[in-house]
Short mmCIF file of all heavy atoms in Angstrom, two decimals:
data_model
loop_
_atom_site.label_atom_id
_atom_site.label_comp_id
_atom_site.label_asym_id
_atom_site.label_seq_id
_atom_site.Cartn_x
_atom_site.Cartn_y
_atom_site.Cartn_z
N VAL V 1 171.34 29.35 199.60
CA VAL V 1 172.16 30.45 200.10
C VAL V 1 172.97 30.02 201.31
O VAL V 1 174.04 30.57 201.58
CB VAL V 1 171.28 31.68 200.43
CG1 VAL V 1 172.08 32.77 201.15
CG2 VAL V 1 170.69 32.25 199.16
N ASP V 2 172.48 29.04 202.06
CA ASP V 2 173.21 28.56 203.23
C ASP V 2 174.55 27.93 202.88
O ASP V 2 175.41 27.77 203.74
CB ASP V 2 172.36 27.53 204.00
CG ASP V 2 171.32 28.21 204.88
OD1 ASP V 2 171.49 29.41 205.16
OD2 ASP V 2 170.34 27.56 205.28
N ARG V 3 174.73 27.57 201.61
CA ARG V 3 176.02 27.02 201.18
C ARG V 3 177.04 28.15 201.18
O ARG V 3 176.79 29.26 200.72
CB ARG V 3 175.89 26.39 199.80
CG ARG V 3 174.93 25.20 199.80
CD ARG V 3 174.48 24.79 198.42
NE ARG V 3 173.40 23.82 198.50
CZ ARG V 3 172.66 23.44 197.47
NH1 ARG V 3 172.90 23.93 196.28
NH2 ARG V 3 171.68 22.56 197.63
N GLU V 4 178.24 27.87 201.66
CA GLU V 4 179.23 28.90 202.00
C GLU V 4 179.54 29.86 200.86
O GLU V 4 179.53 31.08 201.03
CB GLU V 4 180.52 28.23 202.47
CG GLU V 4 181.56 29.22 202.97
CD GLU V 4 182.78 28.53 203.52
OE1 GLU V 4 182.74 27.30 203.72
OE2 GLU V 4 183.78 29.22 203.75
N LYS V 5 179.80 29.35 199.68
CA LYS V 5 180.22 30.20 198.57
C LYS V 5 179.10 31.16 198.15
O LYS V 5 179.33 32.33 197.91
CB LYS V 5 180.62 29.32 197.37
CG LYS V 5 181.18 30.10 196.20
CD LYS V 5 181.64 29.17 195.10
CE LYS V 5 182.18 29.97 193.92
NZ LYS V 5 182.62 29.07 192.81
N ILE V 6 177.85 30.63 198.10
CA ILE V 6 176.72 31.47 197.71
C ILE V 6 176.46 32.54 198.76
O ILE V 6 176.16 33.69 198.44
CB ILE V 6 175.46 30.60 197.50
CG1 ILE V 6 175.71 29.53 196.43
CG2 ILE V 6 174.27 31.47 197.12
CD1 ILE V 6 176.01 30.10 195.07
N ARG V 7 176.60 32.16 200.03
CA ARG V 7 176.38 33.12 201.11
C ARG V 7 177.38 34.27 201.02
O ARG V 7 177.03 35.44 201.23
CB ARG V 7 176.51 32.44 202.47
CG ARG V 7 176.05 33.33 203.63
CD ARG V 7 176.37 32.74 204.99
NE ARG V 7 175.85 31.38 205.12
CZ ARG V 7 176.62 30.31 205.28
NH1 ARG V 7 177.94 30.43 205.29
NH2 ARG V 7 176.09 29.12 205.40
N GLU V 8 178.62 33.94 200.69
CA GLU V 8 179.64 34.98 200.56
C GLU V 8 179.30 35.93 199.40
O GLU V 8 179.46 37.15 199.52
CB GLU V 8 181.00 34.33 200.31
CG GLU V 8 182.15 35.30 200.10
CD GLU V 8 182.46 36.14 201.34
OE1 GLU V 8 182.07 35.73 202.45
OE2 GLU V 8 183.08 37.21 201.18
N GLU V 9 178.80 35.39 198.29
CA GLU V 9 178.41 36.23 197.16
C GLU V 9 177.24 37.14 197.53
O GLU V 9 177.20 38.31 197.15
CB GLU V 9 178.04 35.34 195.97
CG GLU V 9 179.22 34.63 195.34
CD GLU V 9 178.83 33.79 194.14
OE1 GLU V 9 177.65 33.87 193.73
OE2 GLU V 9 179.69 33.06 193.62
N GLU V 10 176.26 36.57 198.26
CA GLU V 10 175.12 37.37 198.71
C GLU V 10 175.58 38.51 199.62
O GLU V 10 175.11 39.65 199.50
CB GLU V 10 174.13 36.49 199.48
CG GLU V 10 173.26 35.64 198.59
CD GLU V 10 172.08 36.43 198.05
OE1 GLU V 10 171.10 36.62 198.77
OE2 GLU V 10 172.18 36.88 196.89
N TYR V 11 176.51 38.20 200.52
CA TYR V 11 177.02 39.22 201.43
C TYR V 11 177.70 40.35 200.65
O TYR V 11 177.47 41.54 200.93
CB TYR V 11 178.02 38.60 202.41
CG TYR V 11 178.81 39.63 203.19
CD1 TYR V 11 178.23 40.31 204.26
CD2 TYR V 11 180.12 39.96 202.83
CE1 TYR V 11 178.94 41.27 204.96
CE2 TYR V 11 180.83 40.92 203.52
CZ TYR V 11 180.24 41.57 204.59
OH TYR V 11 180.93 42.54 205.26
N ARG V 12 178.53 40.00 199.70
CA ARG V 12 179.23 41.01 198.90
C ARG V 12 178.23 41.89 198.15
O ARG V 12 178.39 43.12 198.08
CB ARG V 12 180.18 40.35 197.90
CG ARG V 12 181.41 39.72 198.53
CD ARG V 12 182.32 39.15 197.46
NE ARG V 12 183.47 38.51 198.03
CZ ARG V 12 184.57 39.15 198.41
NH1 ARG V 12 184.65 40.46 198.27
NH2 ARG V 12 185.59 38.49 198.92
N LYS V 13 177.20 41.28 197.58
CA LYS V 13 176.21 42.02 196.82
C LYS V 13 175.48 43.03 197.72
O LYS V 13 175.33 44.21 197.37
CB LYS V 13 175.21 41.05 196.19
CG LYS V 13 174.08 41.73 195.43
CD LYS V 13 173.11 40.70 194.88
CE LYS V 13 171.94 41.37 194.19
NZ LYS V 13 170.96 40.37 193.67
N VAL V 14 175.04 42.55 198.90
CA VAL V 14 174.31 43.42 199.82
C VAL V 14 175.21 44.53 200.35
O VAL V 14 174.81 45.71 200.41
CB VAL V 14 173.72 42.60 201.00
CG1 VAL V 14 173.13 43.53 202.06
CG2 VAL V 14 172.66 41.64 200.49
N TRP V 15 176.46 44.17 200.71
CA TRP V 15 177.35 45.17 201.28
C TRP V 15 177.74 46.23 200.25
O TRP V 15 177.90 47.41 200.59
CB TRP V 15 178.60 44.51 201.86
CG TRP V 15 179.38 45.45 202.74
CD1 TRP V 15 180.61 45.95 202.52
CD2 TRP V 15 178.94 46.00 203.99
NE1 TRP V 15 180.99 46.79 203.55
CE2 TRP V 15 179.98 46.84 204.45
CE3 TRP V 15 177.77 45.87 204.74
CZ2 TRP V 15 179.88 47.55 205.65
CZ3 TRP V 15 177.68 46.57 205.94
CH2 TRP V 15 178.72 47.40 206.38
N ARG V 16 177.85 45.84 198.99
CA ARG V 16 178.13 46.81 197.94
C ARG V 16 176.99 47.82 197.82
O ARG V 16 177.21 49.02 197.69
CB ARG V 16 178.34 46.10 196.60
CG ARG V 16 178.70 47.08 195.46
CD ARG V 16 179.11 46.37 194.20
NE ARG V 16 178.08 45.49 193.72
CZ ARG V 16 178.24 44.18 193.49
NH1 ARG V 16 179.40 43.62 193.71
NH2 ARG V 16 177.24 43.45 193.04
N GLU V 17 175.74 47.33 197.91
CA GLU V 17 174.58 48.23 197.87
C GLU V 17 174.59 49.18 199.08
O GLU V 17 174.26 50.36 198.95
CB GLU V 17 173.28 47.42 197.84
CG GLU V 17 173.06 46.63 196.56
CD GLU V 17 172.96 47.53 195.35
OE1 GLU V 17 172.41 48.64 195.47
OE2 GLU V 17 173.42 47.11 194.27
N VAL V 18 174.97 48.64 200.24
CA VAL V 18 175.04 49.47 201.45
C VAL V 18 176.05 50.60 201.27
O VAL V 18 175.79 51.76 201.60
CB VAL V 18 175.40 48.60 202.68
CG1 VAL V 18 175.78 49.48 203.88
CG2 VAL V 18 174.25 47.68 203.04
N LEU V 19 177.22 50.27 200.74
CA LEU V 19 178.27 51.28 200.53
C LEU V 19 177.81 52.33 199.52
O LEU V 19 178.09 53.52 199.69
CB LEU V 19 179.55 50.60 200.05
CG LEU V 19 180.26 49.70 201.08
CD1 LEU V 19 181.42 48.97 200.42
CD2 LEU V 19 180.76 50.53 202.26
N GLU V 20 177.11 51.90 198.47
CA GLU V 20 176.62 52.85 197.48
C GLU V 20 175.59 53.81 198.09
O GLU V 20 175.58 55.01 197.80
CB GLU V 20 175.98 52.10 196.29
CG GLU V 20 176.98 51.37 195.41
CD GLU V 20 177.77 52.31 194.51
OE1 GLU V 20 177.47 53.52 194.48
OE2 GLU V 20 178.70 51.82 193.85
N ILE V 21 174.72 53.27 198.94
CA ILE V 21 173.72 54.11 199.61
C ILE V 21 174.40 55.12 200.53
O ILE V 21 174.04 56.30 200.56
CB ILE V 21 172.73 53.23 200.41
CG1 ILE V 21 171.88 52.40 199.45
CG2 ILE V 21 171.84 54.09 201.31
CD1 ILE V 21 171.05 51.33 200.12
N ARG V 22 175.40 54.66 201.29
CA ARG V 22 176.13 55.58 202.18
C ARG V 22 176.82 56.68 201.39
O ARG V 22 176.79 57.85 201.77
CB ARG V 22 177.17 54.78 202.98
CG ARG V 22 176.60 53.89 204.08
CD ARG V 22 177.70 53.15 204.78
NE ARG V 22 178.69 54.08 205.34
CZ ARG V 22 179.93 53.73 205.70
NH1 ARG V 22 180.33 52.47 205.53
NH2 ARG V 22 180.75 54.62 206.18
N ARG V 23 177.44 56.30 200.27
CA ARG V 23 178.15 57.29 199.45
C ARG V 23 177.18 58.33 198.90
O ARG V 23 177.46 59.54 198.90
CB ARG V 23 178.85 56.58 198.29
CG ARG V 23 179.90 57.42 197.59
CD ARG V 23 180.53 56.67 196.43
NE ARG V 23 181.72 57.34 195.96
CZ ARG V 23 181.74 58.46 195.25
NH1 ARG V 23 180.59 59.04 194.95
NH2 ARG V 23 182.87 59.02 194.87
N SER V 24 176.02 57.85 198.42
CA SER V 24 175.02 58.76 197.89
C SER V 24 174.49 59.71 198.97
O SER V 24 174.27 60.90 198.72
CB SER V 24 173.86 57.95 197.29
OG SER V 24 172.85 58.79 196.82
N ALA V 25 174.31 59.18 200.19
CA ALA V 25 173.80 60.00 201.29
C ALA V 25 174.79 61.10 201.67
O ALA V 25 174.40 62.26 201.90
CB ALA V 25 173.51 59.11 202.50
N VAL V 26 176.08 60.76 201.71
CA VAL V 26 177.09 61.77 202.03
C VAL V 26 177.14 62.84 200.94
O VAL V 26 177.24 64.04 201.24
CB VAL V 26 178.48 61.11 202.20
CG1 VAL V 26 179.57 62.17 202.37
CG2 VAL V 26 178.48 60.17 203.40
N GLY V 27 177.05 62.42 199.68
CA GLY V 27 177.04 63.37 198.58
C GLY V 27 175.87 64.33 198.67
O GLY V 27 176.00 65.53 198.39
N GLU V 28 174.71 63.81 199.09
CA GLU V 28 173.53 64.67 199.23
C GLU V 28 173.74 65.71 200.34
O GLU V 28 173.35 66.87 200.18
CB GLU V 28 172.31 63.80 199.54
CG GLU V 28 171.01 64.57 199.57
CD GLU V 28 169.81 63.67 199.80
OE1 GLU V 28 169.99 62.43 199.80
OE2 GLU V 28 168.71 64.20 200.01
N LEU V 29 174.37 65.29 201.46
CA LEU V 29 174.64 66.23 202.55
C LEU V 29 175.59 67.34 202.10
O LEU V 29 175.43 68.51 202.48
CB LEU V 29 175.24 65.48 203.75
CG LEU V 29 174.31 64.52 204.49
CD1 LEU V 29 175.08 63.79 205.59
CD2 LEU V 29 173.13 65.27 205.09
N ILE V 30 176.57 66.97 201.27
CA ILE V 30 177.51 67.98 200.76
C ILE V 30 176.79 68.96 199.85
O ILE V 30 176.97 70.18 199.94
CB ILE V 30 178.68 67.30 200.01
CG1 ILE V 30 179.53 66.47 200.98
CG2 ILE V 30 179.56 68.34 199.32
CD1 ILE V 30 180.60 65.64 200.30
N ARG V 31 175.93 68.44 198.94
CA ARG V 31 175.21 69.30 198.01
C ARG V 31 174.28 70.28 198.73
O ARG V 31 174.09 71.41 198.31
CB ARG V 31 174.41 68.45 197.02
CG ARG V 31 175.26 67.76 195.95
CD ARG V 31 174.40 67.20 194.85
NE ARG V 31 173.47 66.21 195.33
CZ ARG V 31 173.76 64.91 195.46
NH1 ARG V 31 174.97 64.47 195.12
NH2 ARG V 31 172.86 64.06 195.90
N LYS V 32 173.68 69.82 199.83
CA LYS V 32 172.76 70.68 200.59
C LYS V 32 173.47 71.64 201.53
O LYS V 32 172.83 72.48 202.18
CB LYS V 32 171.78 69.81 201.38
CG LYS V 32 170.78 69.05 200.51
CD LYS V 32 169.82 68.24 201.35
CE LYS V 32 168.77 67.55 200.49
NZ LYS V 32 167.83 66.73 201.30
N GLY V 33 174.80 71.49 201.64
CA GLY V 33 175.56 72.38 202.51
C GLY V 33 175.46 72.05 203.98
O GLY V 33 175.85 72.85 204.84
N ILE V 34 174.96 70.85 204.31
CA ILE V 34 174.82 70.46 205.72
C ILE V 34 176.18 70.12 206.32
O ILE V 34 176.44 70.37 207.50
CB ILE V 34 173.85 69.27 205.83
CG1 ILE V 34 172.45 69.70 205.34
CG2 ILE V 34 173.78 68.75 207.26
CD1 ILE V 34 171.45 68.58 205.27
#
């Protein structure tokens, strides 16, 4: 993973999961009326 190209792929994968979690959390707040 320390090799540059693989590290970049790992970063993209993790950051995509982070964005999906954030999106889901905001959707839950909207559904609950918060």
Side-chain angles (χ1 to χ4, degrees):
V1 171
D2 280 341
R3 297 164 190 169
E4 185 176 349
K5 185 177 179 181
I6 302 297
R7 190 189 306 116
E8 178 65 20
E9 290 181 7
E10 282 278 281
Y11 168 77
R12 288 183 182 277
K13 177 182 177 181
V14 172
W15 194 246
R16 182 171 59 236
E17 293 298 325
V18 168
L19 292 173
E20 289 285 353
I21 292 169
R22 287 179 57 198
R23 195 182 193 286
S24 178
V26 173
E28 186 177 353
L29 292 176
I30 294 173
R31 286 193 299 273
K32 291 181 176 179
I34 298 174

